[in-house]
């Protein structure tokens, strides 16, 4: 009877070991799949970062263009205002001479 109990215990331990080995293999497979997914996510994140960097450059360029345009508009308005003032002075001078 002792031999039977020992055999049962040995068989149970073998089953436990087999079950643990199977679990270990399943975990390895899941880990490999997760690593593969992580690589894909890293690639996607790199692509997103590239797009964001590109958008930042476009926004900076657009802001620069807007600032240049504002400066040009300001200079043009100043020039026109100065010319109007010159003409007003000339008109007053001519009126005063008459």
């Amino acid at each position: 009877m002792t031999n039977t109990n020992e055999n049962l215990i040995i068989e149970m331990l073998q089953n436990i070991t087999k079950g643990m080995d199977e679990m270990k293999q399943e975990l390895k497979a899941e880990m490999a799949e997760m690593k593969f997914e992580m690589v894909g996510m890293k690639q996607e994140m790199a692509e997103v970062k590239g797009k964001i960097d590109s958008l930042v450059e476009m926004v900076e360029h657009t802001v620069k263009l807007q600032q240049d345009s504002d400066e040009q508009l300001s200079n043009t308005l100043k020039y026109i205002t100065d010319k109007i003032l010159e003409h007003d002075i000339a008109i007053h001078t001519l009126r005063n001479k008459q």
Side-chain angles (χ1 to χ4, degrees):
M1 185 164 220
T2 305
N3 203 9
T4 305
N5 286 341
E6 287 176 5
N7 287 339
L8 284 174
I9 291 172
I10 290 172
E11 186 179 335
M12 285 174 45
L13 289 173
Q14 288 174 341
N15 287 337
I16 290 172
T17 302
K18 182 180 175 185
M20 290 180 70
D21 287 343
E22 289 173 1
M23 287 175 52
K24 184 178 177 183
Q25 292 302 318
E26 288 174 14
L27 285 172
K28 281 184 179 180
E30 287 180 22
M31 292 279 290
E33 185 178 331
M34 288 174 64
K35 285 181 183 178
F36 179 75
E37 289 174 1
M38 290 289 287
V39 168
M41 289 174 55
K42 284 181 180 179
Q43 289 173 341
E44 288 176 15
M45 287 181 70
E47 290 173 11
V48 168
K49 184 185 180 310
K51 289 178 183 177
I52 289 172
D53 290 344
S54 178
L55 287 172
V56 166
E57 286 179 23
M58 287 191 292
V59 167
E60 288 172 346
H61 182 68
T62 302
V63 167
K64 174 82 169 94
L65 289 174
Q66 183 65 44
Q67 288 171 342
D68 291 347
S69 175
D70 289 348
E71 184 179 337
Q72 289 175 354
L73 181 60
S74 177
N75 290 340
T76 301
L77 288 174
K78 184 177 180 329
Y79 175 79
I80 292 170
T81 303
D82 290 346
K83 286 299 178 185
I84 291 172
L85 183 60
E86 285 177 23
H87 291 295
D88 279 349
I89 292 171
I91 290 170
H92 281 322
T93 302
L94 286 175
R95 283 188 182 157
N96 289 336
K97 287 185 178 182
Q98 292 177 352

